[in-house]
Amino acid sequence: MAALPLEGLSAIVTGAGRGLGRAEALELARLGASVVVNDFGQPGRDGSGQASTGPAEEVAAEIRAAGGRATAHTGDVADHQQARELVQLAIDTYGKLDILVNNAGILRDRMIFSMSEAEWDSVIHVHLKGHFNTTHFAAAHWRERSKAAGGPVYGRIVNTSSEAFLAGSAGQPNYAAAKGGIVGLTTSTALALAKYGVTANAICPRARTRMTEDVFQGFQEPGEGQLDPLAPEHVSPLVGYLASPAAGKVNGQLLVVHGGMVAIVERPRVAAKFDTAKEVFSYGELDELLSPYYEDRPAGETFAAAEVLGLKRG
């Protein structure tokens, strides 16, 4: 019997108590990984008033019930010290950390002219700083292991960006900025850690979860007896693949995934280049060069790639 692709590896999945993170944690466990299930919040009581262990422990228990290994962590990854404790928990429990899946996030949607400072700060804090915090401590762990081993070790990072960054979502300036920052963090990390044997990639998933229920309300509803085209289970297999040895040559990439489709997003390319005929540009020369160029461009075309929103299977 062939070994499972993630057998003997340990993983952290943040924001894994529900939705996309839960599906990712279950998939990694199904593929053989031992999983630390992170979700912020303490145990409390459910809607009926009964004592609840909390979503992180519930997912960990689900993994254990299926024969896997899992432990829960309820800390806030946006807090530097609690992110340190999360990474250390994986190392202490399973001997090492091999896979980090950053998924935790929140939404505070509003147009740029209506957004408060608190709404901006909270989304940047949880998404972008949260990704940095866990990546920082995981990277330090892999660097130390690589130095001790005298060569590369095994490390995989899967970060969660969004089509909101690619397409320029008008009602989500905080979220789009955070998700764009995550792509920059991912490509920088990919280059920095490659020599240690670590890969870092980002995905732009589209999934109907508690966080996005308002965003995708009435969008691509499933037919009778069909899996929801926006079910998180369409995304989690890609996370399992990127976490596996098979994806060793996939590094610094951005992939869009949903509804039975995976699209690889190519890096930006230079569309045009202009040189000054003098020593430095003047306003007049720039006007002569750039204005005709933009006059011929389609109206409304920007750096945003809104066409990704039309991607679908088939």
Side-chain angles (χ1 to χ4, degrees):
M1 181 177 174
L4 294 170
L6 303 184
E7 191 74 46
L9 301 177
S10 66
I12 289 171
V13 183
T14 71
R18 301 179 180 89
L20 191 55
R22 173 183 173 274
E24 293 167 346
L26 293 175
E27 177 70 5
L28 295 183
R30 189 186 71 79
L31 295 175
S34 301
V35 184
V36 178
V37 179
N38 162 265
D39 201 85
F40 182 47
Q42 299 300 322
R45 296 192 176 276
D46 61 22
S48 65
Q50 298 296 312
S52 170
T53 56
E57 177 52 38
E58 288 168 5
V59 175
E62 188 176 354
I63 291 172
R64 293 193 295 267
R69 301 178 68 196
T71 189
H73 179 269
T74 58
D76 180 4
V77 295
D79 180 277
H80 204 60
Q81 180 57 34
Q82 292 181 54
R84 181 201 299 269
E85 293 167 358
L86 170 60
V87 171
Q88 194 60 50
L89 176 63
I91 297 167
D92 292 343
T93 305
Y94 302 118
K96 58 184 171 57
L97 173 64
D98 303 293
I99 300 160
L100 171 63
V101 179
N102 284 309
N103 172 72
I106 61 172
L107 289 179
R108 298 289 185 270
D109 293 352
R110 205 172 296 276
M111 299 296 285
I112 187 65
F113 42 77
S114 301
M115 182 165 289
S116 69
E117 182 181 15
E119 289 165 337
W120 173 271
D121 288 348
S122 61
V123 169
I124 299 296
H125 186 67
V126 174
H127 286 273
L128 188 51
K129 189 182 179 188
H131 273 60
F132 161 74
N133 284 342
T134 53
T135 299
H136 168 76
F137 292 113
H141 168 65
W142 288 319
R143 182 171 178 264
E144 290 172 9
R145 280 177 52 198
S146 178
K147 285 187 172 182
V153 295
Y154 191 97
R156 298 284 188 269
I157 300 171
V158 182
N159 287 333
T160 306
S161 183
S162 171
E163 292 170 295
F165 148 67
L166 289 170
S169 180
Q172 298 179 302
N174 48 2
Y175 185 69
K179 292 306 190 181
I182 286 168
V183 173
L185 171 65
T186 302
T187 54
S188 174
T189 301
L191 292 174
L193 300 187
K195 65 181 178 181
Y196 302 118
V198 179
T199 66
N201 295 286
I203 63 171
C204 293
R206 190 186 297 180
R208 200 189 316 269
T209 67
R210 189 176 70 161
M211 189 180 84
T212 63
E213 61 186 355
D214 291 337
V215 176
F216 295 126
Q217 191 171 20
F219 183 86
Q220 285 185 270
E221 295 289 349
E224 183 71 27
Q226 294 181 331
L227 179 66
D228 187 346
L230 295 180
E233 288 74 16
H234 287 297
V235 175
S236 54
L238 177 61
V239 173
Y241 168 74
L242 293 174
S244 76
K249 292 188 177 180
V250 184
N251 193 29
Q253 302 298 306
L254 179 63
L255 303 98
V256 176
V257 54
H258 58 81
M261 180 218 73
V262 174
I264 299 169
V265 180
E266 195 168 4
R267 64 179 177 83
R269 296 186 179 277
V270 177
K273 176 179 174 289
F274 302 94
D275 297 319
T276 180
K278 305 168 186 178
E279 185 176 359
V280 295
F281 275 116
S282 65
Y283 167 85
E285 188 180 16
L286 288 170
D287 181 27
E288 291 174 2
L289 293 171
L290 297 183
S291 294
Y293 175 78
Y294 282 106
E295 185 69 30
D296 294 335
R297 294 287 291 272
E301 182 179 272
T302 72
F303 187 78
E307 63 270 18
V308 299
L309 299 179
L311 291 173
K312 61 182 180 178
R313 180 183 177 187

